[in-house]
Amino acid sequence: MLKNINKEETSKENYEEIKNFLVEEDEEGDRLDVYLSDQFIDMSRSYIQKIIKDKKVTVNGKIEKAKYLVKEEDFIEIEIPKPKVLEVIPQDIPIEIIYEDDDVIIVNKPQGMVVHPAPGNYENTLVNAILFHCKDNLSSINGVIRPGIVHRIDKDTSGILMIAKNNNSHNCLAEQLKDHSITREYEFICHGVFKEDKITVDRPIGRNPKDRLKMAVVANGKRAVTHFEVIERFNGYTHVRARLETGRTHQIRVHAMSINHPLVGDPVYGPKNSKIKINGQALHAKKLGFIHPTTQKYIEFDSELPEYFQKLLEKLRKY
């Protein structure tokens, strides 16, 4: 494990703090940028690479490039730049709103749309669209970059997402997520034919020790539970419903892969030689249900499968 041996606030104008790390034996051989991005989960690898390129990282007192392979007992020092004040611009981007009241908005996100801005990508996200639609009527709990965002789905995953319009609603919905009481059902198409009609995967998920940009089933990960149910079988493929009991990063994709049924089109966890070529994984967040923050009544929403998904099902039925 990493040892953060110094966490000193500094008074220099160009950065807010310096952090020092000592590489341990089991971390030897990682690229410098990969090593650091694993230590700073909230920073993207590209952002870490920029800090390295700006010569704000030293290894044993020497400037090194991102591709440098760290060694045991390397002493790494990184200057963390001061956070910039960001302005997320509202954009008139068409979005499908399934439901809206004074507390929540339920949207059907298309495949390919990023949920919230991130370094290097501050435009054309769902947040930009929601800001235009709602003006200032969004919760502020998650800050400027993620106004109203209680949870998210991946860029290439389509489907239902809930957004909080005030802080009270945000807290209420976040508490339900924490308690695993929100209904979240997805549908996906995977490689291979499921033998069982129903199967529950209860395997911990954490960062992949061999590839820090991926998640994996790991012994020291956080508990993750997914309930799978077959909808339709094809020649070499299966249409499956998944109900999330927990909500880990890439949970459905990792659990499906762990039982040898990676999702069709998955650029991260799927096979590279797939006969079916689509842009992103065939995964749709279809159903969402929760207790309304104000009425305290259970409400549930469903969305139709997107066109690309339905066309793929039609194609597989002809196999």
Side-chain angles (χ1 to χ4, degrees):
M1 290 296 292
L2 164 78
K3 291 181 181 177
N4 182 354
I5 60 177
N6 186 21
K7 202 172 185 178
E8 176 186 352
E9 295 280 344
T10 79
S11 59
K12 290 192 176 183
E13 295 181 357
N14 295 329
Y15 54 88
E16 65 172 356
E17 62 181 341
I18 294 177
K19 287 190 177 181
N20 297 329
F21 301 99
L22 190 65
V23 178
E24 297 192 353
E25 182 180 1
D26 61 350
E27 297 165 323
E28 184 170 284
D30 284 349
R31 282 174 53 115
L32 180 59
D33 56 343
V34 173
Y35 173 87
L36 286 174
S37 63
D38 188 48
Q39 318 314 322
F40 298 97
I41 304 301
D42 58 339
M43 294 185 192
S44 68
R45 185 173 172 185
S46 60
Y47 184 61
I48 291 289
Q49 288 172 338
K50 183 180 184 306
I51 296 176
I52 295 172
K53 188 176 181 180
D54 290 341
K55 300 181 179 180
K56 301 300 182 183
V57 176
T58 60
V59 181
N60 303 322
K62 180 183 176 183
I63 299 290
E64 296 287 357
K65 294 183 178 180
K67 64 182 181 181
Y68 171 82
L69 302 182
V70 302
K71 303 178 182 64
E72 184 182 1
E73 295 190 357
D74 271 351
F75 181 78
I76 300 174
E77 183 174 271
I78 178 171
E79 298 176 7
I80 309 298
K82 285 184 177 180
K84 295 180 180 179
V85 178
L86 300 174
E87 181 181 1
V88 182
I89 302 172
Q91 291 179 280
D92 187 5
I93 302 171
I95 50 174
E96 181 184 349
I97 297 177
I98 298 176
Y99 173 85
E100 180 178 8
D101 60 23
D102 291 337
D103 296 297
V104 297
I105 303 176
I106 309 299
V107 301
N108 189 19
K109 185 188 84 67
Q111 186 186 52
M113 175 179 268
V114 175
V115 171
H116 59 75
N121 184 27
Y122 294 111
E123 297 182 351
N124 301 315
T125 71
L126 179 63
V127 163
N128 295 104
I130 290 295
L131 281 172
F132 183 89
H133 176 78
C134 294
K135 305 302 186 283
D136 295 326
N137 298 319
L138 290 168
S139 77
S140 59
I141 288 175
N142 275 345
V144 176
I145 296 295
R146 306 178 187 183
I149 302 300
V150 184
H151 68 127
R152 69 178 186 85
I153 54 180
D154 297 327
K155 172 187 174 183
D156 289 326
T157 299
S158 56
I160 296 181
L161 200 69
M162 59 184 177
I163 295 166
K165 295 181 75 173
N166 54 66
N167 290 353
N168 179 64
S169 298
H170 192 126
N171 286 327
C172 179
L173 296 173
E175 191 64 29
Q176 292 180 62
L177 279 171
K178 182 179 178 181
D179 293 341
H180 311 308
S181 60
I182 288 182
T183 300
R184 285 179 292 170
E185 288 187 2
Y186 291 69
E187 290 189 18
F188 65 86
I189 301 170
C190 67
H191 292 272
V193 180
F194 264 65
K195 293 181 181 179
E196 305 90 345
D197 288 336
K198 295 181 179 181
I199 182 173
T200 293
V201 178
D202 185 347
R203 297 178 179 177
I205 290 177
R207 205 163 278 273
N208 189 325
K210 296 182 179 179
D211 186 342
R212 308 303 173 92
L213 299 180
K214 295 181 181 180
M215 307 302 287
V217 170
V218 291
N220 61 345
K222 294 182 178 179
R223 189 182 184 220
V225 182
T226 311
H227 304 280
F228 295 119
E229 180 181 1
V230 171
I231 298 174
E232 188 174 0
R233 293 180 175 90
F234 308 101
N235 182 19
Y237 302 90
T238 311
H239 179 195
V240 183
R241 178 181 297 110
R243 181 171 63 84
L244 290 178
E245 188 171 317
T246 56
R248 309 304 176 200
T249 301
H250 298 173
Q251 179 172 318
I252 291 174
R253 299 160 66 187
V254 171
H255 271 173
M257 179 188 66
S258 76
I259 57 172
N260 300 315
H261 290 292
L263 272 59
V264 170
D266 194 326
V268 179
Y269 304 103
K272 295 181 180 179
N273 58 347
S274 175
K275 295 180 181 179
I276 297 177
K277 305 297 181 183
I278 58 174
N279 294 321
Q281 62 272 2
L283 177 62
H284 180 71
K286 196 171 191 304
K287 184 180 292 186
L288 181 70
F290 55 90
I291 301 296
H292 191 280
T294 297
T295 67
Q296 292 298 297
K297 293 182 179 179
Y298 179 79
I299 54 176
E300 189 173 275
F301 303 93
D302 204 325
S303 65
E304 291 187 4
L305 292 172
E307 185 178 2
Y308 85 88
F309 200 114
Q310 294 187 44
K311 285 184 176 180
L312 181 53
L313 288 175
E314 292 171 6
K315 181 179 179 180
L316 291 174
R317 291 184 183 114
K318 296 176 182 178
Y319 263 36

